[in-house]
Amino acid sequence: MSAPALALHQFRYDQKSFWRNPAAVFFTVAFPLMFLLIFELIFGDDTLEQLGNLKTDVYYVPAILTLAVVSATMQSVAIRLTTERENGVLKRGRGTPMPPWVFFAGRIGNALVISLLMLIIVPGIGRLIYGVGIPWDHLPAVLVTLTIGAASFCAIGVALTAAIPTEEAAPAITNVVIFPLYFLSGVLIPETEIPDGVLKIADIFPIRHFFEAFFAAWNPQTAGAGFEWGHLAVVAGWGVLGLVLAIRFFRWTPRGG
């Protein structure tokens, strides 16, 4: 079997295993949609004066899309890889002739497909139910932002497995890392309600910059093509750091031996 065919086979396997896991589907796909519906129900009629009287439903579509992509990439990759490492699946796979890159191609490909799916579902719900426009003029910026963000957070997710000791600890550690940043970065709370000092702390981490890039591409008040290269550069830099750490510290065998 050729290398591309082998990678495609691995990708199909990862897709099947994902959709056959109810917990993974719920927390990756349904959970962000629940947040979107809840926030729209509570804040949908409000406006954000400091953002040019922008309606909150326009704000929350890219915000929840940010959450969905991070969940499908960094969080999902870290939890699944840790689980398979501790169950010995990675060790057995490493002992086969399959090249390591094929394994990761399947994982990352699955995460990218789920991210693209959320890019369709979240804005679709926003458009059909809440009348939030889709920024067709900024579509290239949206796709570039999604690609850079998804790839970077996948790398960070692989690197994060080095800090997770057991299968049971994987969900807790990933949530402790990610959820505070959702609040600090303006994803779950409008940035107009967050002190500037807190936002400066959030600026250290990639979730804030990823959201800013998505928000700029989605905001109808944004002039030009909608690209935020400065924010994307920070996200890509974190992705490179994650890749370096993953190469150095990722392990195929259980932490117990």
Side-chain angles (χ1 to χ4, degrees):
M1 184 179 291
S2 65
L6 194 61
L8 181 60
H9 178 78
Q10 180 66 30
F11 166 74
R12 287 200 298 262
Y13 167 79
D14 287 323
Q15 274 280 286
K16 290 179 181 179
S17 63
F18 173 80
W19 291 109
R20 291 173 180 175
N21 186 334
V25 174
F26 175 79
F27 285 104
T28 306
V29 178
F31 199 56
L33 299 181
M34 288 175 54
F35 271 112
L36 177 63
L37 296 174
I38 291 172
F39 288 140
E40 290 288 357
L41 181 64
I42 297 175
F43 305 112
D45 294 330
D46 297 343
T47 58
L48 303 173
E49 295 182 1
Q50 295 178 341
L51 296 178
N53 290 323
L54 187 74
K55 293 190 65 177
T56 54
D57 49 13
V58 178
Y59 182 93
Y60 272 119
V61 167
I64 299 304
L65 193 54
T66 297
L67 184 152
V69 173
V70 174
S71 176
T73 54
M74 177 180 170
Q75 189 171 19
S76 180
V77 167
I79 292 175
R80 291 188 67 193
L81 285 179
T82 301
T83 300
E84 294 178 348
R85 182 193 70 199
E86 295 305 306
N87 289 337
V89 175
L90 298 187
K91 183 178 180 180
R92 293 194 297 271
R94 191 70 175 93
T96 68
M98 183 179 68
W101 73 266
V102 170
F103 173 82
F104 286 106
R107 284 289 184 275
I108 295 173
N110 177 70
L112 290 175
V113 167
I114 302 303
S115 298
L116 286 171
L117 178 63
M118 299 307 294
L119 181 61
I120 297 172
I121 294 177
V122 173
I125 292 177
R127 181 72 182 94
L128 293 175
I129 300 180
Y130 305 107
V132 178
I134 297 176
W136 298 111
D137 293 342
H138 295 165
L139 185 59
V142 171
L143 294 177
V144 169
T145 300
L146 177 72
T147 302
I148 293 176
S152 298
F153 285 111
C154 279
I156 297 172
V158 177
L160 184 60
T161 61
I164 304 176
T166 64
E167 175 184 354
E168 292 75 15
I173 291 178
T174 54
N175 284 327
V176 165
V177 171
I178 293 173
F179 263 89
L181 292 177
Y182 286 149
F183 287 96
L184 300 180
S185 301
V187 175
L188 298 182
I189 299 176
E191 61 181 52
T192 56
E193 305 298 322
I194 302 175
D196 290 339
V198 175
L199 291 176
K200 289 180 180 179
I201 295 175
D203 279 335
I204 300 173
F205 303 99
I207 290 179
R208 169 66 177 167
H209 295 277
F210 184 50
F211 166 64
E212 283 289 300
F214 248 143
F215 177 68
W218 220 271
N219 188 349
Q221 301 173 6
T222 300
F227 289 97
E228 288 289 332
W229 294 115
H231 293 299
L232 292 177
V234 174
V235 176
W238 271 90
V240 172
L241 176 62
L243 179 61
V244 171
L245 293 176
I247 293 173
R248 174 63 180 85
F249 296 106
F250 181 79
R251 57 186 297 168
W252 298 83
T253 57
R255 292 285 288 266

